[in-house]
Structure formats: C-alpha cells, structure tokens
Amino acid sequence: KILLEKRKNYQALLIGKTEIFEFYNKLLNTGLSFRKITGLSSIEFSESIIPVYDVFDRLSVDVVPGTPSVSGASAAMEAVKTAAKLALDKKISAVVTAPICKKGINQAGYHFKGHTDYLAHLTNTKNYVMMLVGGGLRVSLATIHIPLKDLWSNLTMESLYEVICITNRYIKLFGVKKPKIALCGVNPHAGEEGLLGNEEKQILKPAMQTARADKINVTGIYPSDTVYWEILKNNTADAVVAMYHDQGLIPVKTLAFDCSVNVTLGLPIIRTSPDHGTAFAIAGKNKANEKSMKTAVKTAVQLVCNMDKF
C-alpha cells in the first residue's frame, strides 16, 4: 500500500528477492503485483505493478514467517549493498532500508552492528551520525550501539565535536537555514557543577566551545530530563545531541512510537529507515503497523527535495 499511494515526487523501487515479496503477497492476499527486473533500463513504473530489482540470483531463500535464517540475512545485506551502489552511481535518489536482524547478519558472515555500519563501510564513510526524528524532535546520537559501561572509552571531545559538526551541516536537508543545536548532558543534572560527574567539564564543554569557535550555534549543557520538554515548549533548538542510545531514543519513541524515523547523517547518499525492529512475532499475520515505513519514505523524499539547498 505504501508503494502504490499517489506519488508526486518519487517512484518507488523495491530491492531484494522477488520470491520473498511474492510469498508474502500470496500469504496476505494483498492484491498487489510485482515485476522482477535485473537492470534499471527495464523498469516500467505504474500504479498497479511494483518493480523489484532482484539480487543474489544464486541464493535461494527458504521463507518461514517469523523465523530468521542465514539465507534471508544474506539476501537482506545483498539488497543493502545493491541499493548503496545504485545511490552512489546516482541511479536512485535515496535509500530507505527495512529492519534487519543484527544477530542474523553476523551469522551470515556480515560482521557489522547493523545497516548503518555496513552503509558507512560500503560508502567509505569514516564519520557519520544516527539521527532519530519524530514527535517534533530531531536527536543525534554521540554514541550508538555500545554497552553503557563502554561509553567513556568511545565518547571523546574530538568525536563529540564531529557529531556536532555533522548535525549542523546535514540538518539543513530538513530545510533548516540557521541551525540551533542543544547539547545534552550525560550525568544527572548535567553534572551539577562537578558534584555528580566531571565529564561535562572535561569532554562536553570543550567540544561545544570548539564548535562555537567554528561559528556553530550550539548551546548547553542541558540536563537530559528537561531539554526535550524545553525544546517542544519553546522551540529553542532544531536538534539535540544526546550522548548515548537510550538517552536519545526514549523521548522520540515515547512521543512517536509508531512513526519515528532513523536518518543517517554524513553519508554521501540519503538513507532513512523506520525506527523499529523486525517484529518476527507478527511476521505474516497482517498486524504490522506501516506508519514508520511510510514516514521514512516521506522523509527521504523531503531530504531529496532539499538537496538543492544543501
């Protein structure tokens, strides 16, 4: 349904195994039609038939709803690889990825923590940022998928400064002309002047001051339990930089659980993704909520349309 809605700004192309799409198409009795293609020159867009750029011909996938498989994980990563190449070659304008099973892709031999790491590898990108968008918030993460105990071995003044810079630059794709960025503290009450931790003084403040010297409008350091409320009430910032995964995702998912979006900043291609997991428990049962995927598609279109302002 997402792909067949009236489109003004884009044409949708599925990338993956045609047999998987056809399996679920028959199971769910959607009434959709797919056309397998092996090259972009053979695409014929229509309102009733969805083109599928088929990948990994030598791989046969056994589809069992709700059951992850190594072959399925391999097909998913091959689809991501194909999409990245098409985007790098300017054959497509943006990539919208569906959820993957992180354990599955590692079992299949892809030793990455998820799409984002793999896309950074494929595009030879050293510095990139995960931004969550939803509920009126845009939140960049200074660290991503690491155990909390490893935070201070991964968060440095230099790495935080880089996240601020990338956020400041790429948020302009959302149509923000003069970005205002709020820096979130990491300790309770943003350290309470060192009483509850010195990391704000030792790491966060130097990164903020360096960014300000580069004429980036970044303010803070704000307690994480109040910064989001302040932004929503008084529109004090266009984006927040949070220090770790849950500090950024909890407010976004609380406000927009079924329609939040993950945007990867810093890549040479536009990439968005729904902000949820694979939901194996409801696979093939026609219970999945499509709102986050729809929003991810719409967000990708928005970013593409703003490229001329970037």
Side-chain angles (χ1 to χ4, degrees):
K1 292 180 180 178
I2 299 168
L3 299 174
L4 295 181
E5 289 182 352
K6 186 175 181 180
R7 303 180 295 268
K8 291 184 178 180
N9 298 318
Y10 73 96
Q11 295 284 2
L13 171 68
L14 285 176
I15 301 176
K17 295 294 292 179
T18 309
E19 63 192 84
I20 298 176
F21 294 118
E22 290 180 338
F23 174 91
Y24 281 104
N25 190 32
K26 182 178 180 180
L27 177 67
L28 299 174
N29 192 26
T30 66
L32 302 177
S33 296
F34 297 97
R35 178 183 290 120
K36 178 179 178 179
I37 63 171
T38 55
L40 297 185
S41 60
S42 60
I43 295 180
E44 294 181 12
F45 290 107
S46 76
E47 291 298 321
S48 59
I49 301 176
I50 304 171
V52 180
Y53 194 108
D54 207 76
V55 299
F56 226 169
D57 280 338
R58 66 182 182 274
L59 176 69
S60 179
V61 180
D62 295 323
V63 184
V64 180
T67 303
S69 68
V70 170
S71 61
S74 295
M77 293 302 269
E78 186 68 16
V80 174
K81 181 179 178 180
T82 301
K85 186 178 188 310
L86 291 174
L88 286 171
D89 292 342
K90 309 298 182 184
K91 300 296 179 66
I92 59 176
S93 300
V95 176
V96 181
T97 57
I100 56 172
C101 175
K102 295 177 176 60
K103 180 179 179 180
I105 65 173
N106 276 268
Q107 289 176 333
Y110 296 87
H111 299 299
F112 298 91
K113 294 179 180 178
H115 299 91
T116 307
D117 299 44
Y118 189 46
L119 284 166
H121 167 74
L122 293 171
T123 59
N124 196 30
T125 302
K126 181 180 179 181
N127 297 312
Y128 54 91
V129 172
M130 178 186 288
M131 172 178 276
L132 286 305
V133 180
L137 297 172
R138 303 185 188 99
V139 184
S140 291
L141 303 181
T143 60
I144 308 178
H145 294 124
I146 60 169
L148 194 56
K149 65 182 178 62
D150 296 334
L151 178 63
W152 297 120
S153 60
N154 286 270
L155 181 64
T156 65
M157 187 279 283
E158 291 79 12
S159 67
L160 179 56
Y161 166 74
E162 192 67 36
V163 171
I164 295 170
C165 290
I166 292 173
T167 300
N168 180 70
R169 181 184 180 193
Y170 283 85
I171 198 174
K172 294 174 184 177
L173 285 172
F174 287 89
V176 179
K177 294 181 179 180
K178 297 180 179 180
K180 297 178 291 183
I181 299 171
L183 194 62
C184 188
V186 65
N187 292 303
H189 306 291
E192 198 73 67
E193 296 297 322
L195 181 65
L196 303 177
N198 290 312
E199 286 79 13
E200 279 78 10
K201 292 181 178 181
Q202 296 171 349
I203 297 175
L204 277 64
K205 188 175 181 179
M208 181 173 65
Q209 290 175 332
T210 303
R212 284 177 175 173
D214 290 337
K215 302 188 184 307
I216 295 175
N217 186 4
V218 53
T219 60
I221 301 162
Y222 300 107
S224 60
D225 59 350
T226 58
V227 62
Y228 302 105
W229 179 86
E230 180 66 31
I231 289 172
L232 291 170
K233 182 182 179 182
N234 297 316
N235 192 31
T236 52
D238 301 297
V240 178
V241 175
M243 297 304 109
Y244 56 91
H245 186 276
D246 286 8
Q247 188 184 58
L249 267 69
I250 288 173
V252 173
K253 287 196 172 184
T254 299
L255 294 168
F257 183 78
D258 58 357
C259 59
S260 53
V261 176
N262 173 9
V263 181
T264 307
L265 310 181
L267 298 176
I269 62 175
I270 289 175
R271 180 263 177 153
T272 66
S273 179
D275 184 28
H276 59 67
T278 50
F280 286 124
I282 59 172
K285 297 181 179 179
N286 203 25
K287 293 182 178 180
N289 188 325
E290 79 282 3
K291 289 183 181 179
S292 187
M293 177 60 83
K294 290 175 68 173
T295 308
V297 173
K298 291 178 181 178
T299 301
V301 173
Q302 176 192 8
L303 301 183
V304 170
C305 291
N306 285 329
M307 279 295 292
D308 60 338
K309 305 172 185 177
F310 180 58

